[in-house]
Amino acid sequence: MRRQITGFSNPTVKLLRSLRDKKQRRLHQRFLAEGLRLLTDAREHGRLPEMLVMAEGRDEHPLLQALEADVLAAGGEVIETSADILSKITGKDNAQAVTGVFAQWDTGLAQLDRAAAPIWLVAQALRDPGNLGTMLRTGDAVGAGGLILLDDCADPFGVEAVRASMGAIFTQSLAQASWDEFSGWLRQGDGQLVAASLAFGSQPYRGATYQAPCFVLVGNESRGLPAEYESACDMHVTMPMRGSADSLNAAVAAAVLAYEVLAQLSPETAISPR
Amino acid sequence: MRRQITGFSNPTVKLLRSLRDKKQRRLHQRFLAEGLRLLTDAREHGRLPEMLVMAEGRDEHPLLQALEADVLAAGGEVIETSADILSKITGKDNAQAVTGVFAQWDTGLAQLDRAAAPIWLVAQALRDPGNLGTMLRTGDAVGAGGLILLDDCADPFGVEAVRASMGAIFTQSLAQASWDEFSGWLRQGDGQLVAASLAFGSQPYRGATYQAPCFVLVGNESRGLPAEYESACDMHVTMPMRGSADSLNAAVAAAVLAYEVLAQLSPETAISPR
């Protein structure tokens, strides 16, 4: 269905605005993704928005028209509104010309098929949504199966995380679990749990022996991993720290480690022939 | 000198608040760094704030007392104010208990000694201050000499970049230059310019041959590097992209590449003995 919204106080505008808030996203089980590129990535991976919101007087684009057609065919809504109202919804002065409202999907561990990929990324209590989105993006790049969020992480469906994921929110599996749920699930099958760690006994990340499916675990930005989690890992690896700092950004640590795992587990694609 | 500020309209409060704005930072050649940890890192690297601003009723801490003493001994100011005013200065509800005002330093290429380190990071038109700060942090970790900012980058002295650098803003050299200035300077001496690139003819980043001093170049978050810059590079390398995305986050790409360069140029510290 197509419709037009002209008033700031329209209930749909209020609903959309509310989705910038984590509690409201959880309540409605909906999230926003902004921009034609992101929405096209989603469409290419079979994720269509339930609602497409566009500014009047936007530039027409064949990809946008294709998206509109698909949303309408799937029974969704295509809404036109003013640039001002769209800015109010997205909270940005310079709103992208199109925003989609998606239903969140189930994110239980039961949805994951660990055999589907050699690498999985695991984040524990990561608080920065940009880091989560970047981990999703890196996961896509290394051919990971998905991202598992332990404990109290930032919301992967928040606008900042979705944006930083550059579309990977639509391609990577996502599971949210407590540590107990995760460790119980992990030990029901194959899986090597590798912590990026500064703990005593950590070995250099290069030359360590990784095994698929390899679960690459990084901890909270300030506190790192709890000791109990560290001791449950199969291996602890560390990156060289040549300067005065003692740690890397969490998303950077995950990426450096994941690319090393990739090089070992899929050397044909990662290493230059010589 | 010690003094107390009790009013929101105090000119020092106005000055400090203004330093959240890039133009004002440039005008005053001053920037803010927040939190005891960051300020202690700075102190350990010989960078003292000209002014230290603390909330009344803060917890005393030996490191804070040492910092106060050093600032006073160097002729700087130690200012006490209310938590409310400190929040107003930092723009955060939950302001850290101490903030420092630093003089910016000279960031010309002439300050750099390229022989001082095997790796240098170079960012072209990076717009995200978090990415710049993360690159500084990674540079510290890999033992890079510093970060060179080409063209219109985000401000490395902005609060977000300083925070993301986790102290590396105080340990890494920093230079800002146009492309012409940089390429002129680079070719006056040794230096391999390596682009993280998707261009035709790029070789896998692993197994490529790096030479010190190696300058690791990443381009703008959306547009990548201009073609002219690409063609001036000595080597183009690419990371495997196993998923649907065609690029990594800029700071992640820089880190994955820099750790590979480190492993090759300083293998004794980067590779596990076997």
Side-chain angles (χ1 to χ4, degrees):
Chain A
M1 192 179 83
R2 282 184 186 276
R3 63 187 169 109
Q4 199 124 17
I5 291 181
T6 53
F8 280 94
S9 57
N10 181 291
T12 302
V13 172
K14 286 189 178 158
L15 171 67
L16 294 178
R17 259 175 72 80
S18 80
L19 294 179
R20 290 162 56 202
D21 178 72
K22 181 174 181 172
K23 272 189 213 147
Q24 295 296 317
R25 282 195 298 275
R26 197 153 285 182
L27 182 66
H28 296 289
Q29 288 287 302
R30 297 288 178 281
F31 72 100
L32 300 173
E34 296 168 2
L36 182 56
R37 184 172 169 168
L38 202 51
L39 291 166
T40 298
D41 283 347
R43 175 171 164 261
E44 284 171 1
H45 290 91
R47 302 271 188 196
L48 281 177
E50 297 176 334
M51 199 185 277
L52 202 58
V53 189
M54 299 179 296
E56 293 153 354
R58 68 194 172 274
D59 295 335
E60 283 304 338
H61 193 291
L63 285 173
L64 183 54
Q65 289 164 342
L67 188 61
E68 288 179 53
D70 281 3
V71 169
L72 291 171
E77 282 193 293
V78 174
I79 293 174
E80 284 207 341
T81 190
S82 67
D84 283 355
I85 290 177
L86 195 60
S87 288
K88 195 180 173 195
I89 291 169
T90 60
K92 291 193 291 192
D93 284 348
N94 204 348
Q96 300 222 43
V98 54
T99 290
V101 180
F102 290 82
Q104 293 187 15
W105 40 87
D106 188 1
T107 57
L109 286 170
Q111 310 301 313
L112 302 186
D113 171 15
R114 72 179 78 195
I119 306 176
W120 296 81
L121 300 186
V122 189
Q124 188 267 332
L126 237 56
R127 302 303 306 155
D128 182 324
N131 280 343
L132 282 193
T134 300
M135 284 186 71
L136 284 164
R137 184 177 181 182
T138 300
D140 176 273
V142 297
L147 175 63
I148 299 169
L149 305 177
L150 303 183
D151 303 338
D152 189 25
C153 282
D155 182 3
F157 293 111
V159 170
E160 200 188 330
V162 169
R163 190 186 305 136
S165 86
M166 292 289 281
I169 184 87
F170 298 111
T171 65
Q172 288 281 289
S173 303
L174 198 60
Q176 297 182 296
S178 69
W179 169 255
D180 287 343
E181 288 164 349
F182 171 68
S183 54
W185 173 85
L186 180 71
R187 299 314 179 190
Q188 283 163 23
D190 287 342
Q192 180 191 38
L193 184 58
V194 178
S197 169
L198 303 165
F200 180 75
S202 293
Q203 56 183 308
Y205 81 111
R206 284 180 89 101
T209 301
Y210 303 102
Q211 289 168 338
C214 182
F215 293 80
V216 170
L217 172 62
V218 296
N220 172 270
E221 288 92 344
S222 342
R223 294 183 307 275
L225 290 168
E228 180 200 345
Y229 299 13
E230 291 255 10
S231 60
C233 289
D234 299 304
M235 191 159 69
H236 305 89
V237 297
T238 187
M239 288 75 168
M241 288 286 147
R242 302 286 297 265
S244 38
D246 60 4
S247 67
L248 293 167
N249 165 279
V252 163
V256 171
L257 181 47
Y259 266 98
E260 180 63 21
V261 175
L262 175 64
Q264 230 183 74
L265 297 181
S266 308
E268 70 285 359
T269 62
I271 300 186
S272 175
R274 284 194 141 182
Chain B
M1 193 179 83
R2 283 185 185 275
R3 63 187 169 108
Q4 198 125 19
I5 291 181
T6 53
F8 280 94
S9 57
N10 180 292
T12 302
V13 173
K14 285 190 179 158
L15 170 68
L16 294 177
R17 258 175 73 79
S18 80
L19 294 180
R20 290 163 56 203
D21 178 71
K22 181 174 180 172
K23 272 188 211 146
Q24 296 295 317
R25 282 194 299 274
R26 197 153 284 182
L27 182 66
H28 296 287
Q29 288 288 303
R30 297 289 179 280
F31 72 100
L32 299 173
E34 296 167 3
L36 182 56
R37 183 172 169 168
L38 201 51
L39 292 166
T40 298
D41 283 347
R43 175 171 165 261
E44 284 172 1
H45 290 91
R47 302 272 188 194
L48 282 177
E50 297 176 336
M51 198 185 278
L52 202 57
V53 189
M54 299 180 296
E56 295 153 354
R58 66 193 174 276
D59 295 334
E60 284 303 338
H61 192 291
L63 285 173
L64 183 55
Q65 288 164 344
L67 187 61
E68 287 180 53
D70 281 4
V71 169
L72 292 171
E77 282 192 292
V78 173
I79 293 173
E80 283 206 343
T81 190
S82 68
D84 282 355
I85 291 178
L86 195 60
S87 288
K88 195 180 172 194
I89 290 169
T90 60
K92 290 193 292 191
D93 284 347
N94 204 347
Q96 301 222 42
V98 55
T99 289
V101 179
F102 290 82
Q104 293 186 17
W105 40 87
D106 188 359
T107 57
L109 285 170
Q111 311 300 313
L112 301 186
D113 171 16
R114 72 179 77 197
I119 306 177
W120 296 80
L121 301 186
V122 189
Q124 187 266 332
L126 237 56
R127 302 303 306 155
D128 181 325
N131 280 343
L132 282 193
T134 300
M135 284 185 71
L136 285 164
R137 183 177 182 183
T138 300
D140 176 273
V142 298
L147 176 63
I148 300 169
L149 305 177
L150 303 182
D151 303 338
D152 188 25
C153 281
D155 182 2
F157 293 111
V159 170
E160 200 188 329
V162 169
R163 189 184 307 136
S165 86
M166 292 289 281
I169 184 87
F170 298 111
T171 64
Q172 288 281 289
S173 302
L174 197 61
Q176 298 183 294
S178 70
W179 169 254
D180 286 345
E181 287 164 349
F182 170 69
S183 54
W185 173 85
L186 180 71
R187 300 313 179 189
Q188 284 164 22
D190 288 341
Q192 181 191 38
L193 184 58
V194 178
S197 169
L198 302 165
F200 180 75
S202 292
Q203 56 182 308
Y205 81 110
R206 284 180 90 101
T209 302
Y210 302 102
Q211 290 168 337
C214 182
F215 292 80
V216 170
L217 172 62
V218 296
N220 172 268
E221 288 92 344
S222 343
R223 294 182 308 274
L225 291 168
E228 179 200 346
Y229 299 13
E230 290 255 10
S231 59
C233 289
D234 299 306
M235 190 159 69
H236 305 89
V237 297
T238 187
M239 288 76 167
M241 289 285 146
R242 302 286 298 265
S244 38
D246 60 3
S247 67
L248 293 167
N249 165 278
V252 163
V256 171
L257 182 47
Y259 266 98
E260 179 64 21
V261 175
L262 175 64
Q264 231 183 73
L265 297 181
S266 309
E268 70 285 359
T269 62
I271 299 187
S272 175
R274 285 194 140 184

